[in-house]
């Protein structure tokens, strides 16, 4: 708290200055009109710019849009993440051949198991030679079908999905083709068997030779093998 | 000012009309050059517009305005390219033409000359009182020094102004007598 004398002195000083100003009036300069206008325009522009930049009550939209964009980006990245962990879209030739080999071995194993079961049941049914002859032919056709190359498109042109679909189609075609060949071969063998039973041995041998040319991989039944061995023996003796 | 800060352009017009003259003279008598004074005056208002959001009602608006003006002038003369305030030319080239200048009274010019001849610290204290009408406490707040320092500066300034005015009167009286 200042003493009153000090306050008085301060006020006295100010009064003295005011008296000086009153005695010696100074010119009252004012800014030029152009400067006035420039300042006023600048102030108005600043206010208008702020008003257009800030929409009242809509400030939350910016935050909402930012959050939406972030969510969409996160979703896209999550959706695309599993695809990046998948194996290459075009499998190599080695992997394709491996799958083919596995497929063939599975088919061969199943055919062998089928043949073994058939032969076991065929031994029990010894009184039915015609059917016995038919079964090896069927199993041979199955083995042949299992050993047939799978029709697969070039791996460079197929994706993994296409490859699996083609594989399934090839298996289905094999399943459809196998019974037809089976039936043809069986019918042919039946005919040869009938010729043999009718005593037409030469004709039966000729038919069997033709059969072997057409179906070289077909597993012949025992009587046909005996007939074939007879042919070879005869050819060897000749 | 608060109304203008909230976007009321008309409020600025009121403020500007009220303070344009005192602020301009405060800057002009320190810059001593009308062209430079125009630039600094405009720059001061630009600062005010830019910083309108920072204004708080706790401090009076005139004090804030003259604080900005003082800083604008000081910043200009503190720049390396510019000389010190005390080394500026003594008298401004007046905004009026030569004919109007001839009509000015001897006392007007002598007081303006006397103020221009003061050291910058004393001059700003005098001008803040004469143009802004501030008391010593407000002047101390604007200039950032203590009230006693302001009082001391004011005392020296008044003594010097009185002396200058007496000398000018004596000179003017002598010239009249000789005429």
């Amino acid at each position: 708290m200042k003493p009153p004398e000090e306050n008085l002195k301060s006020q006295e000083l100010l009064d003295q200055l005011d008296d000086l100003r009153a005695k010696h009036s100074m010119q009252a300069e004012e800014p030029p009109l152009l400067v006035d206008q420039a300042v006023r325009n600048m102030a108005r522009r600043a206010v208008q710019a702020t008003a257009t930049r800030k929409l009242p009550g809509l400030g939350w939209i910016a935050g909402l849009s930012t959050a939406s964009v972030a969510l969409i980006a996160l979703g896209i990245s999550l959706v695309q993440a599993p695809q990046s962990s998948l194996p290459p879209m075009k499998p190599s030739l080695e992997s394709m051949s491996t799958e083919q080999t596995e497929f063939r071995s599975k088919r061969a194993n199943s055919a062998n198991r089928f043949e073994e079961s058939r032969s076991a049941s065929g031994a029990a049914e010894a009184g039915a030679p015609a059917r016995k002859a038919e079964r090896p032919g069927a199993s041979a056709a199955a083995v042949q079908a299992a050993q047939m190359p799978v029709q697969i498109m070039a791996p460079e042109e197929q994706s993994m999905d296409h490859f699996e679909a083609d594989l399934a189609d090839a298996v289905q075609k094999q399943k459809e083709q196998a019974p037809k060949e089976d039936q043809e071969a069986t019918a042919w063998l039946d005919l040869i068997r009938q010729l043999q039973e009718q005593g037409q041995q030469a004709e039966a041998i000729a038919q069997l030779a033709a059969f072997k040319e057409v179906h070289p991989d077909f597993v012949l039944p025992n009587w046909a093998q005996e007939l074939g061995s007879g042919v070879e023996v005869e050819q060897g003796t000749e | 000012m608060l109304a203008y800060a909230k976007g009321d352009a008309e409020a600025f017009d009121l403020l500007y009309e009220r303070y344009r003259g005192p602020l301009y003279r405060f800057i002009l008598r320190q810059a001593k050059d009308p062209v430079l004074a125009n630039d600094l005056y405009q720059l001061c208002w630009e600062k005010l517009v830019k910083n309108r959001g920072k204004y708080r009602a706790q401090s009076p608006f005139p004090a804030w305005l003259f604080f900005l003006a003082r800083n604008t002038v000081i910043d200009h003369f503190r720049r390396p390219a510019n000389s010190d305030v005390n080394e500026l030319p003594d008298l401004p080239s007046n905004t009026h033409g030569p004919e109007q200048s001839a009509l000015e009274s001897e006392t007007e010019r002598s007081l303006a000359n006397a103020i221009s001849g003061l050291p910058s610290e004393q001059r700003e204290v005098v001008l803040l009182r004469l143009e802004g009408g501030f008391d010593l406490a407000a002047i101390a707040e604007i200039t950032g020094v203590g009230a006693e320092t302001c009082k001391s500066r004011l005392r020296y300034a008044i003594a010097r102004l009185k002396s200058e005015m007496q000398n000018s009167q004596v000179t003017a009286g002598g010239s009249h007598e000789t005429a």
Side-chain angles (χ1 to χ4, degrees):
Chain A
M1 184 70 183
K2 291 179 181 179
E5 289 181 1
E6 285 292 316
N7 288 333
L8 187 61
K9 282 181 182 176
S10 298
Q11 192 58 46
E12 280 179 356
L13 281 174
L14 294 174
D15 291 341
Q16 285 177 12
L17 189 59
D18 291 341
D19 290 341
L20 203 62
R21 169 73 178 268
K23 287 179 184 174
H24 309 281
S25 60
M26 292 168 61
Q27 187 185 347
E29 297 95 340
E30 297 215 331
L33 290 176
L34 285 176
V35 174
D36 279 347
Q37 198 60 42
V39 171
R40 285 192 171 107
N41 289 340
M42 178 261 301
R44 285 184 184 278
R45 277 199 303 272
V47 170
Q48 288 170 356
T50 308
T52 52
R53 203 165 45 236
K54 289 182 179 178
L55 293 174
L58 298 178
W60 57 271
I61 287 180
L64 181 65
S65 58
T66 305
S68 304
V69 169
L71 276 175
I72 290 169
L74 183 64
I76 289 171
S77 63
L78 285 176
V79 166
Q80 288 182 346
Q83 291 181 0
S84 62
S85 64
L86 282 173
M89 293 294 286
K90 293 177 180 177
S92 62
L93 281 170
E94 290 79 8
S95 64
M96 293 288 287
S97 59
T98 305
E99 290 171 5
Q100 275 184 284
T101 307
E102 287 176 1
F103 176 70
R104 285 177 183 171
S105 64
K106 284 181 182 177
R107 294 282 296 177
N109 289 335
S110 62
N112 288 333
R113 282 198 299 270
F114 178 72
E115 188 180 4
E116 286 171 3
S117 63
R118 284 291 189 183
S119 59
S121 61
E125 298 173 0
R131 293 185 66 187
K132 189 181 173 184
E134 183 179 341
R135 284 172 200 140
S139 62
V143 171
Q144 188 183 15
Q147 292 174 347
M148 281 180 67
V150 180
Q151 296 291 327
I152 297 173
M153 299 292 285
E156 292 81 3
E157 299 171 358
Q158 295 293 322
S159 65
M160 200 64 191
D161 295 337
H162 291 166
F163 168 70
E164 291 175 356
D166 291 342
L167 199 61
D169 290 342
V171 170
Q172 187 64 30
K173 284 178 183 176
Q174 276 188 337
K175 286 180 181 175
E176 291 171 357
Q177 286 176 359
K180 287 181 182 177
E181 293 177 358
D182 217 5
Q183 288 173 2
E184 288 174 5
T186 307
W188 199 348
L189 283 175
D190 286 343
L191 182 65
I192 295 170
R193 185 68 182 272
Q194 287 175 5
L195 288 172
Q196 188 186 16
E197 287 174 357
Q198 290 171 5
Q200 298 177 0
Q201 192 72 12
E203 182 64 21
I205 290 169
Q207 287 292 332
L208 184 61
F211 179 86
K212 283 183 177 178
E213 288 179 1
V214 175
H215 302 288
D217 296 329
F218 197 89
V219 179
L220 294 173
N222 292 333
W223 63 267
Q225 288 177 0
E226 290 170 1
L227 180 62
S229 62
V231 171
E232 288 170 1
V233 169
E234 286 178 2
Q235 289 175 349
T237 54
E238 287 175 357
Chain B
M1 183 60 200
L2 290 174
Y4 172 66
K6 289 178 181 175
D8 186 1
E10 303 296 328
F12 180 82
D13 289 341
L14 290 175
L15 282 176
Y16 186 76
E17 198 58 39
R18 188 178 301 171
Y19 294 103
R20 55 187 280 274
L23 187 73
Y24 181 75
R25 288 187 289 275
F26 174 76
I27 293 172
L28 175 66
R29 296 194 199 294
Q30 296 200 79
K32 304 181 182 182
D33 178 9
V35 178
L36 176 61
N38 289 345
D39 291 343
L40 295 178
Y41 173 78
Q42 213 165 331
L43 188 60
C44 173
W45 285 106
E46 281 182 20
K47 283 184 179 179
L48 180 136
V49 169
K50 282 182 183 175
N51 296 295
R52 62 189 182 278
K54 297 178 183 175
Y55 174 72
R56 298 291 175 266
Q58 284 82 0
S59 62
F61 172 74
W64 190 58
L65 177 63
F66 278 81
F67 171 78
L68 287 178
R70 176 182 179 270
N71 286 348
T72 304
V73 173
I74 289 175
D75 288 345
H76 173 78
F77 288 111
R78 273 182 183 169
R79 276 187 283 175
N82 303 305
S83 57
D84 189 62
V85 178
N86 293 328
E87 297 172 1
L88 286 168
D90 289 338
L91 278 175
S93 56
N94 215 314
T95 52
H96 300 277
E99 293 176 359
Q100 286 180 316
S101 297
L103 296 175
E104 288 176 7
S105 66
E106 290 289 333
T107 53
E108 283 179 349
R109 279 189 293 186
S110 62
L111 183 58
N113 285 344
I115 292 173
S116 297
L118 290 174
S120 60
E121 294 86 3
Q122 297 176 18
R123 184 168 62 229
E124 70 179 2
V125 173
V126 169
L127 289 174
L128 283 171
R129 173 61 187 179
L130 293 180
E131 301 298 342
F134 298 106
D135 59 10
L136 277 176
I139 293 170
E141 186 181 346
I142 292 169
T143 55
V145 296
E148 288 303 315
T149 306
C150 280
K151 190 193 294 183
S152 172
R153 288 175 180 175
L154 186 61
R155 186 181 297 118
Y156 282 114
I158 289 171
R160 191 164 176 169
L161 285 176
K162 282 181 177 177
S163 171
E164 288 285 332
M165 296 309 294
Q166 283 175 356
N167 288 340
S168 67
Q169 281 178 348
V170 168
T171 308
S175 62
H176 284 301
E177 285 175 2
T178 53

